[in-house]
């Protein structure tokens, strides 16, 4: 618009002012934002109330609804609040009133409700015409001394009345009940606390102005929710108390009981703050239906008026700890309580520490007490002034009577009295209004006593105003009184166990033993150990894998679901997986291709697998290659592999890894070759090397021969009682004591282990066994056999051995694995029924169990065609 133009006029005589929309929007939005912040969403730091809450209490105070009064209809209370103070309608006021009465919403309810005020299930309250209410004890403390000019007043919405801008707040409401609200661009979430702990912290601040927040936390360890529960860890609380922002992980309180049919059940008796019980039940049903949690058979709500009781019934043999962690991850049984200590301080939103919140409460109480003292002092001085005039009148009663009788009216009498005795108008008025009964001797004494009491009261009140320690003492006395009236015990437990809100997947996986199988074609799976039942020696076993045509299982071992598996490839690299990351398959499934689990280079194949429980264990990884090279490297060197693998050992061209095992100082090493030779030497014969070293010669092998197995013999075993089992491809083998293998230097050809004949075939495995162990054999056709080591008697090194497995035509043994007595004990706990041992069978077929096989006489014939040979000449190879 040009300077010469005039604003267009409206028909009513007004005018329109053109403005930029950006400017109008910013100013209007700012006005709206400030209105929300000050008049709706954020609490005042002094009394911890929002305007709507404060107006409800003021209206109830006007209606004299004290705790000893009769209950009044909530419709009346909401109507009074709306009509006198809060112009937003009764339907907005009533929900605020309801929350102030809910014991599961406020730690110390401010309203005592009668009727249906909702439930922790999320049920809505009854209509306000059906419910009644009155003030609770803490509200009375909040309103104490409101009539003594302790706070400022402001006009109400229509300027008919005055309303307090804040309540005197003898009760530390903001700290004890907390507050939450969402304003424009900011939010507050102050958690509730225990009154006794808050009072102790305030007293500590009053005693020591320099007290640290760390010392305050000794008095206030953390929030105390009305619904109880457990806060996991203290770090989030400490952060919130020191910075004003933090979070607390809250879990439901629970215990385990034995339910129907001896099934275990989880019982939840307290749930996280502001979580609806029905929401928890709905979420549990959802995760069971979609298969995220499979161990739950039923969920029931057995809550009553005596307390909350939520039952989660588990399936038989399920681990309660695993199910519990799954529930904490997938349901609101664990929730995060955000702590944002934002409140209005002198009309401005500020984020406060724990010390800041306490300081603001103390500052407010000091102001209230001083203003109350000034009010009482003024009233006492005014009364003292009147009593002084009455004393003068009593002392000069005859003259006073004469002046009053001689006066034409009251005004003349007051003027004459003021002139005659130098009185003020108030004193003259009191004398004129005095009754003749005050002239008796008793009344004169009372007047004198009142005057002396007023003098003492004025001196005491003046002393309070002059000495800050007197004010502090009054605050402390008020706290003691409030705590004695309303204090109670802590409901929320604080655990020292830190939880970050996220879950390690291992916590959700049951610890159990698994059979890990790996085929020559690169297929990997894990299967529960209880799938396989023990048989007698010589049995054919059950179908253990549905092998791909032309494929065969060549590795199997026992491992816990939380164990690590190191995969050593033919290229000398190592890859890393957890057992629970290996796909689980049925007894006859072929598993998952290893290429889908780890990133192998073109032409790379996995040749050896190693189970590791913890990389912090003291010890080494001991390698053996088919060319007879060995290497010893610290286990910790393999704890941080990359997704694409890391180099485990440097190999000569054409060589590959055939075994890897954990070794500790003092252990001994046994190597066995396919040609029936074995060598035994001390682990110290191979010095520790770096991860990429080539190693040294461990066994000299003849042309056409190769090393097939590596055994680490622990130093603490009795070599005269522990044995090694040698298995050959045609199902024959034997058990020989370790003491039969003399300890020689590394690098030699070793001694005879077993005669490799056409009947036996070459050696395929060499395994350390105890009397209580069991052995598992697997054939190229996918057949698995389990048998007891105790069924095999010990034989010398020069025997041919006995039949271990009855094979079908064309089938051969490709792997053997020891099941330790410890693993067997775990298996017995995991199985739902006892194993059937030595079960007799009829015809042999897939999935059938057969009787123990017979042994031919010549199976145990002794060899006599050669002495043991030993060549200890073994030089170290070059290391890179």
């Amino acid at each position: 618009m040009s300077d010469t133009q005039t604003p267009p006029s409206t028909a009513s005589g007004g005018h329109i002012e053109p403005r930029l929309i950006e400017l109008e929007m910013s100013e209007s939005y700012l006005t709206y934002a400030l209105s929300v912040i000050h008049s709706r969403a954020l609490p005042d730091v002094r009394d911890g109330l929002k305007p709507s809450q404060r107006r409800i209490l003021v209206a109830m105070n006007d209606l004299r609804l004290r705790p000893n009064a009769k209950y009044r209809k909530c419709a009346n209370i909401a109507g009074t609040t709306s009509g006198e103070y809060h112009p937003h309608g009764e339907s907005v006021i009533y929900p605020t009133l309801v929350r102030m009465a809910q014991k599961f919403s406020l730690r110390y309810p401010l309203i005592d409700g009668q009727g249906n005020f909702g439930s922790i299930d999320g049920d809505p309250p009854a209509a306000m015409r059906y419910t009644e209410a009155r003030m609770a004890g803490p509200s009375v403390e909040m309103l104490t001394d409101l009539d003594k000019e302790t706070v400022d007043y402001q006009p109400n919405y229509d300027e008919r009345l005055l309303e307090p801008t804040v309540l005197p707040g003898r009760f530390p409401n903001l700290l004890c009940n907390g507050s939450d609200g969402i304003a424009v661009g900011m939010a507050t979430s102050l958690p509730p606390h225990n009154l006794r702990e808050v009072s102790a912290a305030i007293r500590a601040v009053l005693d020591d102005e320099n007290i640290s927040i760390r010392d305050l936390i000794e008095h206030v360890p953390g929030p105390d929710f009305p619904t109880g529960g457990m806060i996991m860890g203290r770090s989030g609380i400490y952060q919130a108390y020191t910075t004003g922002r933090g979070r607390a992980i809250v879990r439901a309180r629970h215990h385990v009981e034995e339910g129907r049919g001896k099934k275990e059940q989880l019982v939840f008796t307290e749930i996280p703050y502001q979580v609806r019980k029905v929401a928890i039940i709905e979420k549990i049903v959802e995760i069971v239906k979609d298969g995220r949690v499979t161990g739950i058979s039923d969920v029931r709500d057995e809550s009553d008026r005596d307390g909350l009781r939520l039952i989660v019934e588990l399936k038989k043999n399920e681990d309660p700890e695993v199910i519990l962690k799954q529930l904490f991850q997938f349901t609101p049984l664990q929730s995060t309580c955000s702590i944002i200590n934002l409140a209005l301080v002198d009309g401005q939103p500020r984020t406060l520490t724990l010390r800041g919140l306490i300081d603001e409460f103390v500052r407010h109480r000091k102001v209230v007490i001083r203003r109350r003292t000034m009010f009482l002092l003024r009233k006492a001085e005014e009364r003292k002034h009147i009593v002084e005039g009455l004393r003068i009148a009593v002392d000069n009663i005859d003259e006073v009577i004469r002046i009053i009788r001689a006066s034409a009216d009251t005004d003349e009498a007051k003027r004459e009295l003021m002139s005659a005795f130098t009185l003020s108008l108030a004193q003259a008025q009191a004398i004129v209004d005095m009754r003749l009964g005050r002239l008796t001797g008793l009344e004169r004494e009372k007047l004198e006593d009142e005057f002396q009491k007023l003098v003492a009261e004025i001196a005491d009140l003046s002393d309070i105003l002059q000495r800050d320690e007197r004010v502090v003492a009054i605050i402390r006395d008020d706290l003691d009184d409030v705590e004695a009236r309303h204090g109670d015990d802590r409901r929320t437990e604080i655990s020292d166990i830190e939880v970050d809100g996220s879950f390690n997947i291992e916590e959700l996986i049951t610890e159990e033993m698994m059979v890990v199988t790996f085929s020559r074609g690169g297929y990997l799976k894990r299967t529960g150990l209880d799938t396989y039942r023990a048989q007698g020696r010589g049995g054919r076993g059950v179908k253990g894998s549905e092998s791909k045509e032309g494929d065969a299982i060549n590795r199997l071992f026992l491992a816990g679901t939380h164990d690590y598996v190191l995969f050593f490839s033919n290229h000398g690299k190592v890859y890393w997986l957890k057992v629970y990351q290996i796909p689980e398959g049925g007894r006859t499934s072929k598993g998952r291709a290893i290429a889908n689990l780890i990133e192998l280079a073109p032409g790379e194949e996995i040749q050896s697998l190693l189970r590791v429980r913890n990389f912090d264990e003291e010890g080494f990884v001991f390698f053996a290659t088919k060319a007879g090279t060995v290497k010893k490297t610290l286990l910790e060197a393999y704890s941080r592999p990359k997704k694409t693998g890391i180099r485990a050992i440097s190999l000569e061209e054409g060589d590959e890894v055939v075994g890897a095992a954990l070794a500790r100082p003092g252990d001994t090493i046994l190597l066995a070759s396919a040609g029936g030779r074995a060598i035994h030497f001390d682990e110290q014969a191979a010095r520790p090397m770096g991860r990429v070293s080539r190693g040294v010669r461990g066994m000299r092998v003849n042309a056409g021969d190769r090393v097939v197995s590596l055994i680490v013999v622990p130093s603490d075993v009795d070599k005269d009682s522990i044995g090694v089992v040698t298995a050959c491809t045609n199902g024959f083998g034997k058990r020989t004591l370790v003491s039969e293998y003399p300890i020689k230097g590394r690098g030699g050809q070793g001694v005879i282990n077993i005669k490799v004949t056409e009947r036996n075939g070459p050696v395929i495995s060499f395994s350390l066994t105890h009397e209580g162990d069991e052995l598992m054999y697997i054939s190229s056709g996918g057949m698995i056999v389990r048998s007891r080591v105790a069924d095999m008697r010990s034989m010398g090194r020069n025997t041919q051995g006995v039949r271990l497995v009855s094979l079908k035509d064309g089938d051969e043994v490709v792997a053997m694995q020891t099941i330790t007595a410890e693993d067997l004990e775990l298996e017995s706990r995991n199985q739902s029924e006892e194993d059937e041992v030595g079960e007799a069978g009829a015809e042999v077929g897939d999935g059938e169990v057969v009787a123990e096989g017979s042994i031919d006489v010549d199976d145990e014939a002794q060899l006599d065609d050669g002495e043991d040979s030993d060549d200890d000449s073994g030089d170290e190879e070059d290391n890179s």
Side-chain angles (χ1 to χ4, degrees):
M1 179 180 294
S2 64
D3 296 338
T4 59
Q5 291 178 315
T6 58
S9 299
T10 62
S12 60
H15 69 277
I16 299 173
E17 178 184 353
R19 301 192 67 192
L20 293 174
I21 190 169
E22 296 90 343
L23 181 61
E24 179 64 27
M25 287 291 292
S26 64
E27 291 181 358
S28 298
Y29 187 77
L30 182 60
T31 302
Y32 164 75
L34 292 175
S35 174
V36 170
I37 291 171
H38 288 91
S39 304
R40 188 180 306 175
L42 300 184
D44 193 296
V45 73
R46 295 170 291 179
D47 61 7
L49 297 174
K50 302 176 186 178
S52 58
Q53 298 170 326
R54 187 179 302 114
R55 288 164 178 167
I56 290 172
L57 294 182
V58 171
M60 295 181 75
N61 187 56
D62 293 347
L63 295 172
R64 300 181 182 278
L65 296 179
R66 298 270 169 160
N68 57 353
K70 292 183 179 180
Y71 290 95
R72 187 75 61 87
K73 288 281 187 181
C74 289
N76 187 348
I77 299 172
T80 301
T81 305
S82 175
E84 304 293 349
Y85 300 110
H86 198 66
H88 292 292
E90 300 171 1
S91 60
V92 177
I93 296 171
Y94 183 56
T96 303
L97 186 152
V98 165
R99 190 175 188 280
M100 294 168 70
Q102 291 175 337
K103 295 181 179 179
F104 52 87
S105 294
L106 265 64
R107 182 64 178 82
Y108 300 93
L110 299 177
I111 291 178
D112 178 13
Q114 181 172 267
N116 176 16
F117 278 79
S119 72
I120 199 171
D121 284 329
D123 300 322
M128 56 186 170
R129 61 182 179 273
Y130 299 121
T131 56
E132 299 177 332
R134 62 187 179 189
M135 285 191 291
S139 294
V140 176
E141 307 290 353
M142 297 288 294
L143 292 159
T144 299
D145 299 328
L146 183 63
D147 57 347
K148 294 182 173 60
E149 299 179 359
T150 53
V151 295
D152 294 332
Y153 280 75
Q154 64 184 10
N156 70 339
Y157 66 92
D158 61 0
E159 299 185 354
R160 292 184 300 106
L161 303 170
L162 292 176
E163 62 173 315
T165 59
V166 68
L167 299 185
R170 192 166 178 249
F171 175 78
N173 181 61
L174 186 61
L175 280 162
C176 292
N177 274 329
S179 182
D180 58 78
I182 300 176
V184 179
M186 60 187 68
T188 184
S189 179
L190 288 109
H193 293 85
N194 185 271
L195 174 59
R196 290 176 178 171
E197 296 173 353
V198 168
S199 299
I202 295 174
R203 283 191 287 266
V205 171
L206 295 175
D207 293 337
D208 182 6
E209 293 183 353
N210 299 318
I211 189 171
S212 66
I213 293 181
R214 187 177 294 276
D215 292 333
L216 281 179
I217 294 178
E218 294 182 3
H219 299 286
V220 185
D224 186 24
F225 301 110
T227 54
M230 299 174 62
I231 297 176
M232 308 305 296
R234 302 175 186 270
S235 59
I237 299 172
Y238 182 78
Q239 182 181 13
Y241 287 170
T242 54
T243 67
R245 291 178 179 267
R247 64 174 188 168
I249 306 297
V250 186
R251 285 182 174 178
R253 188 183 297 275
H254 61 278
H255 63 273
V256 180
E257 293 181 358
E258 185 175 301
R260 299 173 297 184
K262 295 186 177 180
K263 294 180 180 179
E264 290 186 300
Q265 59 187 23
L266 296 169
V267 181
F268 297 93
T269 55
E270 296 175 3
I271 60 177
Y273 182 49
Q274 293 184 330
V275 172
R276 295 184 302 119
K277 184 176 58 177
V278 65
I280 295 175
I281 297 174
E282 290 173 353
K283 194 63 179 179
I284 293 175
V285 172
E286 176 187 330
I287 62 176
V288 171
K289 284 185 177 181
D290 63 21
R292 277 181 285 174
V293 178
T294 59
I296 296 176
S297 61
D298 190 20
V299 56
R300 301 188 305 275
D301 183 8
E302 298 181 357
S303 304
D304 54 25
R305 65 180 60 190
D306 296 327
L308 185 145
R309 183 176 170 86
L310 182 61
I311 307 296
V312 177
E313 188 175 284
L314 310 185
K315 294 180 180 178
K316 198 169 184 179
N317 297 325
E318 287 291 337
D319 187 348
E321 287 299 319
V322 172
I323 301 299
L324 185 65
K325 290 171 182 175
Q326 291 174 333
L327 291 174
F328 285 152
Q329 180 186 26
F330 298 125
T331 73
L333 286 168
Q334 173 174 306
S335 65
T336 300
C337 174
S338 177
I339 302 176
I340 306 174
N341 297 333
L342 185 69
L344 293 176
V345 180
D346 298 328
Q348 301 295 323
R350 281 182 53 193
T351 301
L352 300 168
T353 63
L354 174 63
R355 177 62 191 268
L357 291 170
I358 294 175
D359 285 345
E360 290 299 329
F361 172 78
V362 172
R363 181 166 72 99
H364 175 56
R365 288 301 298 162
K366 286 182 176 180
V367 171
V368 168
I369 290 171
R370 286 195 175 96
R371 293 184 62 161
R372 181 186 66 186
T373 303
M374 293 171 64
F375 172 83
L376 295 175
L377 178 60
R378 188 179 77 249
K379 292 294 184 181
E381 289 175 341
E382 290 174 355
R383 179 60 184 168
K384 175 175 172 287
H385 181 67
I386 298 298
V387 172
E388 285 177 338
L390 295 177
R391 290 174 69 199
I392 293 173
V394 170
D395 291 340
N396 301 276
I397 190 61
D398 294 336
E399 181 66 13
V400 169
I401 293 174
R402 186 192 66 77
I403 292 174
I404 294 175
R405 292 181 63 183
S407 300
D409 54 26
T410 302
D411 291 338
E412 182 182 349
K414 288 189 288 184
R415 289 194 298 269
E416 292 296 329
L417 288 171
M418 293 169 61
S419 174
F421 301 105
T422 317
L423 300 174
S424 68
L425 179 61
Q427 289 175 322
Q429 182 67 48
I431 292 172
V432 172
D433 295 337
M434 184 175 64
R435 299 170 59 184
L436 293 177
R438 299 295 299 273
L439 300 178
T440 63
L442 182 61
E443 289 296 324
R444 290 179 181 179
E445 291 181 6
K446 288 182 179 180
L447 197 64
E448 186 64 27
D449 290 341
E450 182 182 3
F451 179 78
Q452 297 301 326
K453 289 180 180 179
L454 287 171
V455 171
E457 181 181 353
I458 290 172
D460 182 62
L461 293 173
S462 300
D463 185 64
I464 291 175
L465 293 176
Q466 294 172 3
R467 297 171 55 198
D468 187 68
E469 56 266 28
R470 289 289 308 279
V471 177
V472 170
I474 293 173
I475 295 176
R476 185 180 286 105
D477 292 341
D478 287 346
L479 279 174
D480 293 342
D481 184 50
V482 171
E483 181 182 344
R485 292 172 183 268
H486 310 292
D488 57 5
D489 295 332
R490 164 171 282 276
R491 300 179 186 176
T492 302
E493 178 183 345
I494 301 178
S495 172
D496 290 325
I497 301 175
E498 291 289 342
V499 175
D500 62 1
S502 61
F503 281 83
N504 186 339
I505 187 65
E506 292 184 23
E507 297 179 353
L508 310 179
I509 304 298
T510 303
E511 177 71 27
E512 58 181 333
M513 294 304 295
M514 308 295 292
V515 178
V516 179
T517 57
F518 184 62
S519 75
R520 293 178 179 175
Y523 286 87
L524 180 70
K525 71 169 181 178
R526 60 183 171 98
T527 307
L529 179 60
D530 57 355
T531 302
Y532 308 104
R533 299 180 181 274
Q535 303 171 40
R537 177 175 57 82
R540 288 193 175 179
V542 296
K543 185 78 171 176
S545 175
E546 190 68 40
S547 299
K548 185 179 178 182
E549 184 177 357
D551 195 8
I553 300 297
N554 72 342
R555 290 291 186 276
L556 69 86
F557 59 91
L558 275 294
T561 47
H562 290 189
D563 293 349
Y564 305 91
V565 178
L566 300 183
F567 297 83
F568 298 94
S569 75
N570 59 340
H571 291 177
K573 297 180 68 176
V574 61
Y575 301 86
W576 187 92
L577 278 180
K578 282 281 197 174
V579 172
Y580 63 76
Q581 295 175 312
I582 298 174
E584 185 171 8
R587 182 169 51 81
T588 60
S589 65
K590 66 180 180 180
R592 180 82 60 85
I594 189 67
N596 294 332
L597 303 175
I598 58 179
E599 297 183 7
L600 297 174
E604 188 176 15
E605 297 179 356
I606 299 300
Q607 297 292 343
S608 184
L609 285 71
L610 177 63
R611 161 195 173 183
V612 177
R613 286 190 179 274
N614 193 333
F615 284 100
D616 294 333
E617 296 177 5
E618 180 184 3
F620 307 91
V621 177
F622 211 99
F623 294 92
T625 73
K626 70 177 183 179
T629 299
V630 295
K631 190 187 79 162
K632 182 174 69 176
T633 302
L634 286 172
L635 174 62
E636 197 274 337
Y638 302 99
S639 62
R640 293 177 294 275
K642 299 177 182 177
K643 188 175 182 180
T644 55
I646 60 175
R647 183 159 297 281
I649 183 174
S650 296
L651 300 173
E652 294 286 351
E653 185 176 355
D655 200 3
E656 63 182 36
V657 174
V658 297
L662 294 177
R664 291 175 175 80
D667 294 347
T668 57
I669 309 298
L670 270 170
L671 299 179
S673 74
R677 309 291 295 185
I679 189 169
H680 194 186
F681 59 89
D682 196 295
E683 60 84 20
Q684 293 181 356
R687 60 181 177 82
M689 299 181 181
R691 181 169 53 82
V692 296
S693 299
R694 289 186 178 180
V696 297
R697 180 176 296 158
M699 182 177 185
R700 189 184 301 277
V701 294
N702 297 325
D705 197 5
R706 61 187 177 86
V707 173
V708 294
S709 290
L710 160 71
I711 290 178
V712 174
V713 182
S715 59
D716 57 353
V717 300
D718 183 4
K719 296 179 176 57
D720 290 325
S721 62
I722 190 171
V724 290
V725 173
T726 303
C728 298
T729 58
N730 293 338
F732 291 89
K734 64 182 180 66
R735 182 182 179 220
T736 304
L737 295 178
V738 172
S739 58
E740 294 284 332
Y741 299 89
I743 298 177
K744 303 287 186 178
R746 63 170 177 82
Q749 290 185 344
V751 298
I752 294 176
N753 175 34
I754 191 171
K755 187 65 175 179
V756 175
T757 63
E758 185 176 350
R759 186 199 75 159
N760 286 353
V763 176
I764 56 92
S765 187
F766 193 55
S767 182
L768 190 69
T769 58
H770 295 77
E771 190 72 17
D773 296 345
E774 291 185 4
L775 288 169
M776 297 184 70
Y777 309 95
I778 191 162
S779 74
S780 59
M783 300 299 294
I784 291 179
V785 175
R786 280 176 65 171
S787 63
R788 296 181 182 86
V789 171
D791 292 343
M792 304 175 63
R793 67 180 181 86
S794 297
M795 300 179 184
R797 286 188 293 106
N798 292 335
T799 61
Q800 291 190 62
V802 297
R803 186 183 302 276
L804 302 178
V805 184
S806 296
L807 298 172
K808 295 181 180 180
D809 292 340
D811 202 2
E812 61 180 23
V813 177
V814 296
M816 177 180 69
Q817 173 67 29
T818 301
I819 307 172
T820 66
E822 181 182 309
D823 294 336
L824 290 170
E825 182 181 354
L826 181 57
E827 176 191 13
S828 66
R829 294 199 302 268
N830 288 338
Q831 287 180 323
S832 58
E833 298 178 357
E834 294 183 357
D835 289 337
E836 298 174 7
V837 181
E839 185 178 16
E843 296 184 0
V844 179
D846 289 351
E848 296 181 357
V849 180
V850 298
E852 182 176 335
S854 59
I855 303 175
D856 296 333
V857 176
D858 63 354
D859 285 348
E860 303 185 19
Q862 298 290 322
L863 298 181
D864 56 3
D865 56 346
E867 295 294 329
D868 293 345
S869 62
D870 188 16
D871 182 359
D872 294 336
S873 59
D875 298 328
E876 293 191 359
E877 303 287 347
D878 293 336
N879 297 324
S880 59

